[in-house]
Amino acid sequence: MKDNSQETTHFGYKTVDKAQKKSLVAGVFDSVAAKYDVMNDVMSFGIHRLWKRQTLDASGVRKGQRILDLAGGTGDLTAKFSRIVGPQGQVVLADINDSMLKVGRDKLRDMGIVGNVEYVQANAEELPFPDDHFDAITIAFGLRNVTDKDKALRSMLRVLKPGGRLLVLEFSKPEHDVLNSLYDFYSFNVLPQMGGLIANDKESYQYLAESIRMHPDQETLKQMMEDAGFEQVTYQNMTGGIVALHRGFKF
Ligand SMILES: C[S@@+](CC[C@H](N)C(=O)[O-])C[C@H]1O[C@@H](n2cnc3c(N)ncnc32)[C@H](O)[C@@H]1O
């Protein structure tokens, strides 16, 4: 029998051709872009702001540095980094999706964030930046959607300066069974309904729940980062492991 596993991947719980996933993910984010920020606040009860704050604290970013906010979407982290790096620094908000980038660009301009932010449409798997270019890279709730995660991690390593760090903020595996069951109920029963009511898009939020379950757990992602060449990889669980922040260095 022919082994098709090299050509297929997951889109939520569905098995699809690798070539198809990119456009399926694009469809999700084209559809949710306009309501993305409000959905984030509602779905997470505002807690995503704390997760992002912790990411910022772990980034060690300083004035004058060059930062890549990869899969940066509507730019929450970019906005914060822009203020920290100041006029001598630079933040690149890169995302594969034009609709998300547009919402991010408009939001940040309305906030008066201009001058040190650049917007780049790019696939995490093939970053269009020179080697050894960024002091830090963040990818928040983005890696899950990437087709070839190993390739993306290697691409991030390449564009990171020696001494630089990568922070991966992503949904992960809750540490306790009770939390896991509650979270399952919420994800598969409440979340898609909310998506239907607020964003008029139940399916995209069903994908969100499924894609979270299919994403590698804490230890697997740590190993993937090490295999890609990152060193001193550690992670910290947040909200009982619903989310984990992985950090790795390039030396
Ligand atoms: C859930 S949003 C996260 C946005 C933002 N980082 C945040 O935390 O609010 C995921 C983002 O990943 C982007 N994305 C998906 N696949 C990507 C890829 N291969 N390369 C770059 N960005 C990608 C999507 O377009 C979307 O904007």
Side-chain angles (χ1 to χ4, degrees):
M1 206 164 78
K2 193 176 168 230
D3 174 15
N4 283 330
S5 59
Q6 294 305 307
E7 287 91 42
T8 60
T9 187
H10 297 291
F11 174 72
Y13 286 169
K14 295 191 189 86
T15 300
V16 299
D17 285 347
K18 273 190 175 165
Q20 247 188 311
K21 175 156 172 166
K22 202 165 91 174
S23 61
L24 290 168
V25 170
V28 168
F29 288 102
D30 280 338
S31 166
V32 304
K35 290 283 165 71
Y36 179 80
D37 283 343
V38 70
M39 272 303 287
N40 259 359
D41 275 330
V42 173
M43 279 179 331
S44 73
F45 311 103
I47 299 173
H48 75 103
R49 292 166 187 266
L50 299 179
W51 297 332
K52 286 173 181 161
R53 164 57 57 190
Q54 268 180 269
T55 305
L56 203 74
D57 292 344
S59 72
V61 166
R62 296 189 306 275
K63 214 169 159 171
Q65 289 189 323
R66 189 186 290 135
I67 312 304
L68 173 62
D69 180 14
L70 182 56
T74 59
D76 282 352
L77 282 171
T78 294
K80 291 181 167 55
F81 284 135
S82 162
R83 295 199 168 108
I84 299 174
V85 301
Q88 267 78 52
Q90 190 199 20
V91 186
V92 176
L93 195 174
D95 198 288
I96 200 168
N97 189 292
D98 193 40
S99 313
M100 292 293 280
L101 272 178
K102 189 172 178 321
V103 174
R105 193 167 41 222
D106 291 349
K107 179 171 90 178
L108 267 50
R109 285 190 182 152
D110 287 350
M111 290 165 79
I113 295 168
V114 285
N116 66 357
V117 177
E118 198 184 316
Y119 301 86
V120 176
Q121 190 169 6
N123 186 344
E125 293 171 17
E126 291 163 34
L127 291 170
F129 307 109
D131 294 357
D132 305 336
H133 194 61
F134 293 101
D135 294 289
I137 302 176
T138 53
I139 179 163
F141 306 112
L143 191 62
R144 198 180 68 243
N145 301 294
V146 174
T147 307
D148 190 337
K149 296 173 186 48
D150 297 320
K151 189 173 176 195
L153 288 168
R154 291 195 298 273
S155 186
M156 291 177 226
L157 186 78
R158 180 184 67 74
V159 301
L160 203 55
K161 286 181 190 172
R165 61 182 81 184
L166 167 68
L167 293 128
V168 183
L169 180 67
E170 193 47 273
F171 291 105
S172 206
K173 190 160 180 351
E175 294 162 290
H176 300 294
D177 291 345
V178 177
L179 180 61
N180 213 1
S181 310
L182 287 171
Y183 180 51
D184 255 1
F185 179 82
Y186 175 75
S187 304
F188 289 102
N189 296 285
V190 183
L191 209 68
Q193 301 300 335
M194 272 188 192
L197 282 173
I198 300 171
N200 199 21
D201 183 356
K202 212 167 153 178
E203 271 185 14
S204 291
Y205 288 89
Q206 177 74 26
Y207 161 73
L208 170 71
E210 292 178 5
S211 68
I212 291 171
R213 295 309 181 285
M214 297 307 288
H215 189 65
D217 65 15
Q218 287 86 334
E219 282 298 322
T220 310
L221 179 55
K222 179 173 183 273
Q223 187 64 53
M224 285 166 67
M225 289 174 68
E226 287 168 351
D227 292 346
F230 287 94
E231 294 182 46
Q232 292 184 10
V233 180
T234 54
Y235 64 83
Q236 61 182 103
N237 284 330
M238 301 178 191
T239 320
I242 287 178
V243 162
L245 176 64
H246 284 69
R247 187 169 73 173
F249 290 83
K250 171 176 174 177
F251 292 120

